[in-house]
Amino acid sequence: GKNKDKFTVYTKLLGLCNIYNVLGAIAIASDLGLDADEIVKGALKLKPVEHRLDILNSTNPITVIDDTFNANPEGTKEALEVLKRIEGNKKIIIT
């Protein structure tokens, strides 16, 4: 696009597949004329689809990821990659 500014974008979405989706959305938003501040705010509002790499709130030190939407090998592999990158000793993934 015309916007050549560099800026950092954060998202609550997990998984490399979602990063590619967010990058595509950023490119389109930039091409449509949204400025960096609008893009950053928009990315922060993104929420995971229910049951797809969704971190469940927990009051204990165990991280639980709900990925029950996916039952295919690629989806399960992606969920395990995400789990590997999360800090902590106790992790549970529900597929």
Side-chain angles (χ1 to χ4, degrees):
K2 298 170 186 153
N3 188 351
K4 301 293 182 195
D5 294 334
K6 291 183 180 182
F7 52 94
T8 302
V9 175
Y10 296 96
T11 181
K12 297 173 190 169
L13 302 179
L14 300 175
L16 188 58
C17 58
N18 283 319
I19 298 303
Y20 292 132
N21 292 337
V22 171
L23 287 172
I26 290 169
I28 292 168
S30 179
D31 198 49
L32 291 173
L34 277 74
D35 63 30
D37 190 48
E38 292 170 309
I39 293 170
V40 168
K41 286 179 183 176
L44 280 174
K45 291 179 183 178
L46 295 172
K47 296 179 184 175
V49 174
E50 203 172 38
H51 309 296
R52 290 192 99 164
L53 295 174
D54 191 5
I55 292 183
L56 303 179
N57 289 334
S58 178
T59 56
N60 59 46
I62 299 172
T63 300
V64 179
I65 298 176
D66 177 358
D67 197 42
T68 54
F69 184 87
N70 281 324
N72 63 65
E74 286 301 313
T76 301
K77 181 180 174 188
E78 180 67 23
L80 291 172
E81 286 296 320
V82 167
L83 198 63
K84 210 166 56 172
R85 288 181 173 77
I86 293 177
E87 291 183 23
N89 294 328
K90 297 179 181 179
K91 306 172 198 178
I92 297 171
I93 188 157
I94 304 166
T95 60

